[in-house]
Every structure is written in structure tokens, then in C-alpha cells.
């Protein structure tokens, strides 16, 4: 499926300009195209059936990985356009580009709550409240998919799923998961339980957080309704934790015990542990 396209050498080439735009944070606010960098992510995009606009590969990559490039062309139904190695390195978001990139449409499972009515399937969902590090977002998405959660919900102010670093850290999970952006807490259906994962004590004299991973406290009897119903697990900002509106909306607080002097866990670790534990405790027919 080789083509005879002229090699991209100029910074003013339309495809090179598109890559620069997708690397720009302001331009990424509106999700219209994605930049996939590296063979693993490009292949994940092809396997997910995304619509490819451009497949770009350096001559060095084509020589060293001819069979892989042929397979990627077939899966994406897109002939690779050669791009000068230095030009791709200049445009790339990574420190050590791997010689291949693609510009694709977003997955059909991505939605914006600003443009569409939020509709959630049954199951356990993860709500990220102000997670700002795109690497954390990508790693959490990977755990979300691995734990079999139903979808990933991103509050306003949270890192965008189309950020190249988030996409790389997700190892393809962001391309396969149902993802909703711009989900303010008031859009969460009131019939869904909201479980707030927090390292803070209860607010205003309310009941203390239910502790996960503690014998006698995290079993099915103690958690009861929290694991027998569809629910949303909320995880907060890396440094500030959950916002007040989320804590006010929460039906229950959850915490993960830590040994002193550690007061809390990294957001990615905490979200991953809580997701897997809640999925483990949920009735079999309720877990995916």
C-alpha cells in the first residue's frame, strides 16, 4: 500500500502545521483531531477503528520496520506519507520520537456534556475532579479500563483526553473507553450513588469515611448498598483533593489507610486501588 508522496521537509507543510496545532494547549480545547505518536499508539488507533487523516513515517522507520509499517497501513487503510526525521522530531511532543505518528478523528465513544445529554450505562464509573497532570489522566484511564469500569467522566478543569501525553500514558485505553468531558457535578444523575475517595475526615460532623482494604470494614456486609448499586467513584485533584461541590454531593466518603507519616496516595494509585477493590466487592452480575 505504498505511495509515492513527496517527503515532508517544510515547517509550512499543512500536515506539519496540523501537528503543531494539536500540540498547542489552547487549540486542543476543542477536540477535533488527535495526534498519535509511536507505533503502539498508532496501532491502537487502527485497531480501535479510528478514522485516519494522515499516517506519517520517517524513512528510517520504514526501513527498520517495513513489515510493521505495512501492517499499520493496512489496518488504518491509509498510505504512509514520508516525513523528514528532523522535521518529525521538531514537531513531536515526546523527547525521543519513534519515527511514526498519525492524525486521526476522536473515538466515537468520546462525548462532551456541554454538547450532549449525559447518558451513563449501568456499572461503576470514575469521575475525575480537577486532575491536571495529563500523565496521571492517561495512567488512570488505563486502570479504569483494566478494572472494567463503565466509563470515565472528566469534570471541567480536568486535563483533556486528547493531550498527547495523556494518550501515551493510557497505552491506548483512552481510545477505547467511553469518555465524557466537561461533566459538572450537578449533571451526575441523582439516582446514582456518588462515592468520594478522600484522605480527609468527615465534614461538619458527618459519618467518617468508610475504610477500604481493612478487615471487617471493606467486606460486602459493611459496604452494603455502596457496592450493590450503580455508582460513580470521584477522585480529586493531585494536591487539593476533591472540590467542595463534589464533597457536598457525595453519598459516602471512602478512604484508603496509609502508614504514617504518609497522609495520602498519588491520585493515580488511589484511583486504581479503589476501582479494583470496589469492582472486586461488587456482586458478580454487577461487575464487567
Amino acid at each position: 500500500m505504498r505511495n509515492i508522496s513527496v517527503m515532508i521537509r517544510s515547517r509550512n507543510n499543512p500536515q506539519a502545521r496540523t501537528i503543531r496545532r494539536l500540540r498547542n494547549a489552547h487549540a486542543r480545547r476543542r477536540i477535533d483531531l488527535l495526534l498519535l505518536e509511536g507505533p503502539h499508539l498508532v496501532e491502537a488507533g487502527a485497531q480501535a477503528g479510528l478514522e485516519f487523516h494522515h499516517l506519517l513515517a520517517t524513512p528510517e522507520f520504514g526501513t527498520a520496520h517495513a513489515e510493521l509499517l505495512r501492517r499499520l497501513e493496512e489496518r488504518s487503510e491509509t498510505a504512509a506519507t514520508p516525513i523528514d526525521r528532523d522535521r518529525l522530531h521538531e514537531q513531536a511532543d515526546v523527547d525521543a520520537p519513534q519515527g511514526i505518528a498519525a492524525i486521526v478523528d476522536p473515538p466515537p465513544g468520546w462525548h462532551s456534556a456541554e454538547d450532549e445529554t449525559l447518558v451513563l450505562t449501568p456499572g461503576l464509573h470514575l469521575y475525575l475532579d480537577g486532575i491536571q497532570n495529563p500523565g496521571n489522566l492517561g495512567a488512570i484511564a488505563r486502570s479504569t479500563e483494566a478494572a472494567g469500569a463503565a466509563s470515565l467522566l472528566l469534570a471541567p478543569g480536568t486535563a483533556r483526553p486528547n493531550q498527547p501525553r495523556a494518550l501515551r500514558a493510557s497505552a491506548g485505553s483512552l481510545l477505547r473507553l467511553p469518555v465524557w468531558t466537561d461533566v459538572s457535578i450537578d449533571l451526575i444523575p441523582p439516582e446514582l450513588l456518588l462515592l468520594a475517595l478522600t484522605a480527609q475526615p468527615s465534614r461538619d460532623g458527618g459519618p467518617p469515611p468508610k475504610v477500604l482494604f481493612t478487615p471487617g470494614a471493606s467486606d460486602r456486609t459493611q459496604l452494603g448498598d455502596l457496592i450493590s448499586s450503580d455508582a460513580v467513584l470521584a477522585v480529586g485533584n493531585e494536591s487539593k483533593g476533591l472540590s467542595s461541590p463534589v464533597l457536598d454531593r457525595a453519598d459516602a466518603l471512602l478512604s484508603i489507610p496509609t502508614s504514617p507519616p504518609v497522609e495520602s496516595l498519588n491520585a493515580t494509585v488511589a484511583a486504581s486501588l479503589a476501582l479494583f477493590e470496589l469492582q472486586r466487592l461488587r456482586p458478580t452480575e454487577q461487575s464487567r
Side-chain angles (χ1 to χ4, degrees):
M1 196 173 177
R2 293 287 183 266
N3 66 8
I4 54 174
S5 298
V6 176
M7 183 180 296
I8 297 174
R9 299 182 185 275
S10 170
R11 293 187 77 253
N12 294 322
N13 179 277
Q15 296 172 28
R17 291 202 304 268
T18 298
I19 292 176
R20 288 200 299 275
R21 179 176 69 83
L22 295 178
R23 289 184 57 199
N24 180 278
H26 177 73
R28 285 197 307 263
R29 180 63 181 81
R30 184 74 180 180
I31 299 175
D32 55 352
L33 293 173
L34 304 184
L35 173 63
L36 308 182
E37 297 178 277
H40 179 84
L41 200 54
V42 171
E43 188 162 25
Q47 291 176 341
L50 302 187
E51 181 70 26
F52 275 58
H53 288 254
H54 304 290
L55 177 62
L56 310 173
T58 65
E60 293 82 1
F61 183 91
T63 299
H65 307 284
E67 179 57 28
L68 173 58
L69 182 57
R70 183 195 63 78
R71 187 168 70 248
L72 292 175
E73 287 182 318
E74 289 183 351
R75 289 182 175 176
S76 66
E77 299 183 348
T78 305
T81 299
I83 183 170
D84 180 77
R85 178 178 179 273
D86 292 338
R87 184 62 62 230
L88 182 61
H89 282 214
E90 178 184 87
Q91 309 299 330
D93 185 72
V94 295
D95 294 331
Q98 300 178 57
I100 188 167
I103 299 171
V104 304
D105 280 342
W110 285 15
H111 307 275
S112 169
E114 289 185 339
D115 303 326
E116 303 176 53
T117 301
L118 180 66
V119 177
L120 300 180
T121 59
L124 177 65
H125 305 262
L126 181 62
Y127 182 78
L128 299 186
D129 180 28
I131 296 292
Q132 296 181 339
N133 186 312
N136 281 348
L137 169 59
I140 291 173
R142 191 173 184 179
S143 293
T144 302
E145 183 181 37
S151 73
L152 183 61
L153 313 176
L154 308 181
T158 298
R160 309 293 289 183
N162 60 333
Q163 291 179 285
R165 187 179 172 193
L167 289 165
R168 292 195 304 274
S170 79
S173 290
L174 277 172
L175 303 179
R176 297 183 291 264
L177 272 173
V179 178
W180 284 85
T181 62
D182 307 300
V183 182
S184 58
I185 193 61
D186 59 292
L187 295 179
I188 301 294
E191 64 272 15
L192 277 183
L193 287 174
L194 184 71
L195 311 178
L197 185 62
T198 177
Q200 303 301 319
S202 59
R203 290 157 53 96
D204 301 326
K210 294 180 181 293
V211 182
L212 297 172
F213 301 103
T214 299
S218 64
D219 60 18
R220 291 180 173 85
T221 301
Q222 293 293 329
L223 288 179
D225 292 342
L226 302 186
I227 58 172
S228 62
S229 305
D230 296 329
V232 175
L233 173 67
V235 176
N237 177 276
E238 293 89 345
S239 59
K240 300 177 182 178
L242 290 165
S243 61
S244 293
V246 174
L247 290 172
D248 291 340
R249 163 67 173 80
D251 296 291
L253 303 182
L254 302 179
S255 68
I256 298 174
T258 58
S259 298
V262 177
E263 296 181 353
S264 63
L265 297 171
N266 169 274
T268 301
V269 174
S272 302
L273 288 173
L275 276 174
F276 276 93
E277 178 69 349
L278 289 173
Q279 288 288 66
R280 183 184 72 84
L281 295 173
R282 284 166 63 83
T284 303
E285 65 273 11
Q286 299 264 351
S287 301
R288 290 176 56 190

